[in-house]
């Protein structure tokens, strides 16, 4: 048997069967969208998906650091998607990561290392990540994350205790949110809004106040009446008329009535204010969901249009270069055949002179000949890209690192998930002489790294003038801050 040391990531949806029982088709659509995000993040971090069964995913990584980065980005991306969904339709995932020795059978992996990853996933919190101590030893000091040591855990069907760490900060208080949703579900029918209950509560309070003011309800009156009609009334002090105690009691009753009326009015105003607040929150939630859906659709359309435009431009440039090369080769071949056939006469020279402008028009302009006749695949392969921007224009400095791929001379690289906050896409054609003009499109992440006035998730773009050789390259941002780009072939 073949064996190897590898890092395994296991992910599974929380309460999938319950979601399916409530809304089968809706749950399948949400799971498909979540899975598209998960598969994309795994591929970006050079992971390999081993198997998928319904709501679970099993993937292999050659690096423990990349596996944990992938797990954190998966939970961040799913949290963003779930925030745009109603609470009863949010689909949370648990993730477990383990580094261990596994058995290789064809394209599948078996053994204790895989089983431990699956058991770690089962004890993670909804929206959370659990890692084994073998993973923690490899990533400590290399990732800016928080970790909570929960000690040695006895896992199902695992013969030895495993020391486990939770990745803190990777899961928002999802357990508390689920508990709150369960309590709310117990108090109201499934799928109903808070608004009808709040309206009914407010109406009940107002009706009670109106009934009390109309005399249908009495608050405290029976006790007062008993006091007024009690047979054993204390005798009035000497020199005080007998009617004074009765008038005092009447005044006290009227004072109590005025106080209760004021309290009822205050309660009525409070109920009306609470009812208005609930209405405002419900309307604001609906508007926010509609706005988020519209922005997501616009971003998707814009990204697709940019991708199509880049592809069409690259195909046009390649076709033009091929046509120029064919014209040049035909001209040289014709000239060579003519020279071998016979020495040129004066008439031939005259014809050649008259044809010179037409041939010259077919020759590519200066600086483009290298592109037409050069090797468009000379720069193909994977390149490490570093973008360094100094402080300026009201923004702090920052550095980005990501991987770009070059195929047939066309470079394309992506930092983070496309169209997400903080993402950046870089693409463009590298000419055979090594020069290139690259297009960069991104979305603002933390506004402190953007120019003054920019907001989170706002789109931006700029161009980069770059030059490459066989193994290295450099470029400079042409708009806004003078950022530098370094390229290194991997």
């Amino acid at each position: 048997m073949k064996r190897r040391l590898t890092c395994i990531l296991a992910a599974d949806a929380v309460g999938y069967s319950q979601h399916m029982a409530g809304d089968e088709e809706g749950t399948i659509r949400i799971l498909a969208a979540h899975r598209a995000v998960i598969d994309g993040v795994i591929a970006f971090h050079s992971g390999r998906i081993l198997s998928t069964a319904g709501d679970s995913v099993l993937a292999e990584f050659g690096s423990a650091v990349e596996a944990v980065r992938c797990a954190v980005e998966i939970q961040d991306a799913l949290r963003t998607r779930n925030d745009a969904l109603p609470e009863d339709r949010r689909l949370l995932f648990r993730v477990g990561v383990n580094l261990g020795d596994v058995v290789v059978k064809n394209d599948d992996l078996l053994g204790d290392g895989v089983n431990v990853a699956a058991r770690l996933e089962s004890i993670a919190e909804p929206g959370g990540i659990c890692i084994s101590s073998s993973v923690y030893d490899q990533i400590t000091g290399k990732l800016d994350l928080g970790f909570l040591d929960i000690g040695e855990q006895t896992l199902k069907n695992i013969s030895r205790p495993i020391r486990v760490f939770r990745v803190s900060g990777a899961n928002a208080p999802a357990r508390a949110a689920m508990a709150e949703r369960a309590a709310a579900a117990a108090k109201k029918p499934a799928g109903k809004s808070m608004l009808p209950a709040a309206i009914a509560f407010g109406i009940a309070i107002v009706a009670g106040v109106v009934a009390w003011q109309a005399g249908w309800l009495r608050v405290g009156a029976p006790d007062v009446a008993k006091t007024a009609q009690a047979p054993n009334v204390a005798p009035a002090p000497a020199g005080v008329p007998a009617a004074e105690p009765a008038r005092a009691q009447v005044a006290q009753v009227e004072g109590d009535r005025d106080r209760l009326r004021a309290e009822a009015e205050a309660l009525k105003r409070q109920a009306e204010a609470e009812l208005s607040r609930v209405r405002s929150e419900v309307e604001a939630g609906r508007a926010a969901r509609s706005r988020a859906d519209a922005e997501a659709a616009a971003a998707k359309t814009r990204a697709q249009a940019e991708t199509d435009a880049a592809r069409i431009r690259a195909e046009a440039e390649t076709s033009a270069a091929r046509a120029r090369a064919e014209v040049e080769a035909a001209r040289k071949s014709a000239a060579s055949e003519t020279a071998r056939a016979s020495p040129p006469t004066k008439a031939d020279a005259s014809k050649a002179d008259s044809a010179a402008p037409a041939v010259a028009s077919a020759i590519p302009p200066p600086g483009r000949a290298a592109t037409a006749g050069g090797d468009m695949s000379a720069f193909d392969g994977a390149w490490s890209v570093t973008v360094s921007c100094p402080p300026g224009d009201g923004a702090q400095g920052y550095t980005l690192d990501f991987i770009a791929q070059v195929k047939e001379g066309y470079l394309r690289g992506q930092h983070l998930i496309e169209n997400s906050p903080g993402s950046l896409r870089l693409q463009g054609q590298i000419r055979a002489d090594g020069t290139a003009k690259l297009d960069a499109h991104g979305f603002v992440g933390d506004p402190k790294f953007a120019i003054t006035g920019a907001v989170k998730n706002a789109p931006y773009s700029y161009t980069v003038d770059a030059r490459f050789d066989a193994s290295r390259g450099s470029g400079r941002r042409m708009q806004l801050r003078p950022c530098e780009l370094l390229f290194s072939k991997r």
Side-chain angles (χ1 to χ4, degrees):
M1 292 185 180
K2 293 183 180 180
R3 310 184 70 94
R4 69 165 175 257
L5 184 67
T6 190
C7 196
I8 302 296
L9 180 148
D12 188 67
V14 180
Y16 178 68
S17 299
Q18 182 178 357
H19 282 284
M20 288 288 285
D23 182 4
E24 191 173 75
E25 293 184 358
T27 301
I28 292 174
R29 286 194 296 269
I30 294 172
L31 177 63
H34 283 12
R35 277 296 314 278
V37 172
I38 293 173
D39 294 355
V41 176
I42 291 174
F44 182 79
H45 287 278
S46 303
R48 181 175 72 92
I49 296 178
L50 301 173
S51 66
T52 58
D55 58 326
S56 63
V57 179
L58 195 67
E60 175 193 16
F61 294 82
S63 164
V65 173
E66 287 300 317
V68 176
R69 278 179 177 163
C70 178
V72 173
E73 288 190 16
I74 286 174
Q75 295 292 33
D76 288 344
L78 295 184
R79 188 176 304 113
T80 300
R81 291 190 59 83
N82 281 324
D83 287 345
L85 297 173
E87 288 191 2
D88 59 345
R89 300 187 64 189
R90 295 176 182 176
L91 193 60
L92 302 174
F93 273 72
R94 297 186 179 97
V95 178
V97 183
N98 179 50
L99 177 66
D101 193 84
V102 298
V103 177
V104 182
K105 184 178 180 182
N106 298 327
D107 290 336
D108 200 7
L109 300 182
L110 308 170
D112 194 56
V114 179
N115 297 336
V116 170
R119 299 308 178 194
L120 290 174
E121 169 269 311
S122 68
I123 66 171
E125 294 184 342
I129 303 168
C130 280
I131 64 174
S132 63
S133 58
S134 58
V135 175
Y136 177 80
D137 292 340
Q138 295 297 319
I139 69 175
T140 183
K142 300 175 184 176
L143 294 176
D144 187 14
L145 296 170
F147 301 94
L148 176 63
D149 186 354
I150 61 174
E152 292 188 345
Q153 302 290 320
T154 301
L155 304 178
K156 182 179 179 181
N157 296 333
I158 303 300
S159 60
R160 67 192 187 287
I162 302 295
R163 190 174 182 183
V164 180
F165 293 81
R166 284 198 178 112
V167 181
S168 61
N171 64 318
R175 176 174 291 175
M178 291 184 69
E180 291 176 2
R181 290 200 299 272
K187 294 180 181 179
K188 66 178 183 179
K192 299 294 184 181
S193 169
M194 291 174 54
L195 185 58
I199 291 174
F201 176 72
I203 291 173
I205 291 176
V206 173
V209 172
V210 172
W212 181 84
Q213 290 179 340
W216 301 337
L217 299 177
R218 295 284 183 239
V219 180
D223 294 337
V224 175
K226 290 178 182 178
T227 303
Q229 297 174 5
N232 298 323
V233 178
V240 178
E244 288 298 327
R247 282 197 294 269
Q249 289 180 356
V250 171
Q252 181 180 356
V253 171
E254 291 178 350
D256 290 342
R257 184 184 61 193
D258 294 338
R259 177 177 58 79
L260 292 173
R261 181 180 292 111
E263 291 177 353
E265 290 293 337
L267 185 60
K268 176 182 176 182
R269 289 193 296 271
Q270 181 180 356
E272 291 174 346
E274 182 68 16
L275 185 60
S276 177
R277 183 184 65 80
V278 171
R279 282 201 188 101
S280 300
E281 290 179 352
V282 171
E283 293 300 327
R286 290 174 180 169
R289 285 195 296 271
S290 299
R291 185 168 58 254
D293 292 342
E295 291 176 352
K300 182 177 180 180
T301 302
R302 182 171 58 250
Q304 185 62 42
E306 292 174 351
T307 302
D308 293 341
R311 176 179 56 79
I312 293 171
R313 184 169 58 250
E315 292 175 354
E317 291 180 355
T318 302
S319 299
R322 187 182 300 112
R324 286 195 295 269
E326 292 174 354
V327 169
E328 181 66 15
R331 185 185 66 82
K332 291 181 178 180
S333 176
S336 176
E337 290 294 334
T338 302
R340 284 198 301 270
S342 62
T345 64
K346 290 183 178 181
D348 294 335
S350 176
K351 292 180 181 179
D353 290 340
S354 63
V359 175
S361 64
I363 300 175
R368 299 296 296 275
T371 303
D375 184 4
M376 299 299 291
S377 63
F379 303 99
D380 287 2
W383 291 73
S384 297
V385 184
T386 300
V387 182
S388 300
C389 292
D393 294 332
Q396 298 184 15
Y398 66 89
T399 300
L400 302 178
D401 293 295
F402 57 94
I403 303 300
Q405 296 290 336
V406 179
K407 185 175 181 180
E408 296 183 358
Y410 192 81
L411 179 144
R412 191 181 193 283
Q414 179 71 40
H415 175 66
L416 299 182
I417 300 174
E418 191 168 1
N419 300 329
S420 65
S423 63
L424 176 67
R425 185 178 76 251
L426 184 67
Q427 60 187 24
Q429 184 72 41
I430 304 176
R431 304 181 183 91
D433 62 357
T435 61
K437 185 176 289 292
L438 309 177
D439 295 323
H441 302 275
F443 290 83
V444 174
D446 192 335
K448 69 181 180 182
F449 298 114
I451 62 174
T452 303
V455 297
K456 186 174 182 179
N457 210 26
Y460 65 89
S461 60
Y462 57 84
T463 57
V464 175
D465 274 349
R467 178 173 291 276
F468 293 81
D469 58 23
S471 61
R472 305 191 67 83
S474 62
R476 186 176 182 83
R477 175 175 171 173
M478 301 305 296
Q479 294 84 22
L480 303 177
R481 283 185 285 175
C483 302
E484 300 292 336
L485 285 81
L486 295 178
F487 303 86
S488 177
K489 197 166 188 180
R490 295 167 66 88

